[in-house]
Amino acid sequence: AKRSGRNCIYTFDPSIQQALVQKLELEKDLRHALNEAQFELYLQPQVNSGGCLIGAEALIRWNHPQKGMISPADFIPLAEKSGLIVGIGDWVQEEACRLLAGWKTHPTLAKATLSINVSEQQLRHRDFVAKTLNSLNVCGIEPAQLKLEITESAVMLNLDECADKLCQLKQHGLEFSMDDFGTGYSSLSNIRALPLDQLKIDQSFVRNLLEDKSNQTLTQTIITMSEALGLEIIAEGVETEDQKLALEEMGCHLFQGYYFGKPLAYTDFMAYVETAGA
Ligand code: C2E
Ligand code: CA
Ligand code: CA
Ligand code: CA
């Protein structure tokens, strides 16, 4: 054990040590996960007021050979810390384009969008623009069908650089959604510096929408703001019909959440589309 300061001895508590070892093991496994094809994109439907499918969000899952399905909340932070997120993010983009290629002649999905999550390091990579365009080109995908979800925290540290990259992609027709909107610390002028198409209301606002008056006020403000800025608005984490109706009343007409469908493995998503769509 090491000494830090006067009375502090760390890496002594066995439970802390155990947690650390587990984390390191997971990180070691994560290094092989890409090569071993252990990742999978789950798709969650996005619908309009009439319940028609307009697109989906791709959410990554890690199929660990021993531990089973691991949620992104448990490995994305690790991937970000270790830099592995860049390779994983590239795979997500390529896989999303492969899925989109399979939709080209589909009656319901030919015009649907597929949203993917882009992390800060990915965005900061100098080849981000080229890699994104290349993924689209390889599969012959209409750029407007791939929507990039970015968070406020991912762009605000390097706002000018990010705005420049997004503008380059925008010129090719890609669209952008500001994810988890309302939870960050960005100012309105920061938001306006980015070529956004959509704001995504964070699920924390939706969760207590009916009970919490101040949440209602905030949500209404976000929706009104999106209208003023000419941005599309979508709510995530919609779990009940009452939440959907309340959001509609406030002027939000695009939804994503368990009420409409959970994230599904690709074949399950396609089956869902057959029964719910058209
Ligand atoms: P996110 O982008 O905010 O994604 C929404 C999360 O909410 C997803 O969790 C989704 O499964 C969950 N969700 C959807 N509808 C509902 C609902 O009605 N109720 C509740 N309680 N939850 C709902 P998931 O799939 O575990 O992903 C967690 C986070 O991991 C994502 O949050 C995103 O930040 C990150 N993530 C997922 N896939 C990727 C990826 O490919 N790349 C990167 N960089 N991050 C990813
Ligand atoms: Ca997202
Ligand atoms: Ca989100
Ligand atoms: Ca979130």
Side-chain angles (χ1 to χ4, degrees), residues 57-59 115-117 149-151 179-180 200 236 256:
E57 177 177 4
L59 295 155
S115 299
I116 58 172
N117 295 282
E149 293 196 0
I150 50 173
T151 59
D179 203 358
D180 301 345
K200 201 169 199 184
E236 72 176 358
Q256 181 182 338

Side-chain angles (χ1 to χ4, degrees), residues 44 57 59-61 72 92 117 179-180 203 237 239 257-258 263:
Q44 184 173 33
E57 177 177 4
L59 295 155
I60 197 168
R61 300 289 180 264
V92 170
N117 295 282
D179 203 358
D180 301 345
Q203 57 191 55
E239 294 183 351
Y258 295 167

Side-chain angles (χ1 to χ4, degrees), residues 73-120:
D74 294 325
F75 71 87
I76 291 291
L78 212 58
E80 277 169 345
K81 208 189 89 233
S82 57
L84 292 166
I85 190 69
V86 176
I88 295 172
D90 290 347
W91 176 83
V92 170
Q93 284 196 332
E94 290 158 16
E95 180 71 1
C97 289
R98 282 191 286 272
L99 298 186
L100 278 168
W103 294 358
K104 279 179 192 169
T105 57
H106 192 283
T108 327
L109 296 170
K111 294 248 176 325
T113 57
L114 186 54
S115 299
I116 58 172
N117 295 282
V118 177
S119 81
E120 187 204 343

Side-chain angles (χ1 to χ4, degrees), residues 23-48:
K23 224 173 167 182
L24 286 171
E25 269 174 8
L26 206 64
E27 188 177 321
K28 193 183 87 220
D29 293 346
L30 196 56
R31 288 183 190 281
H32 304 291
L34 256 187
N35 290 336
E36 315 257 310
Q38 290 168 1
F39 293 118
E40 192 177 343
L41 290 184
Y42 271 42
L43 302 186
Q44 184 173 33
Q46 297 178 329
V47 304
N48 64 19

Side-chain angles (χ1 to χ4, degrees), residues 60-73:
I60 197 168
R61 300 289 180 264
W62 179 12
N63 221 325
H64 191 284
Q66 285 89 40
K67 298 189 168 77
M69 210 59 114
I70 302 182
S71 115

Side-chain angles (χ1 to χ4, degrees), residues 6 16 44 93 99 124 131-132 144 180 191 194 247:
R6 278 189 300 160
I16 292 180
Q44 184 173 33
Q93 284 196 332
L99 298 186
R124 222 172 37 203
K131 287 194 286 192
T132 305
D180 301 345
I191 293 296
L194 300 164
L247 286 159

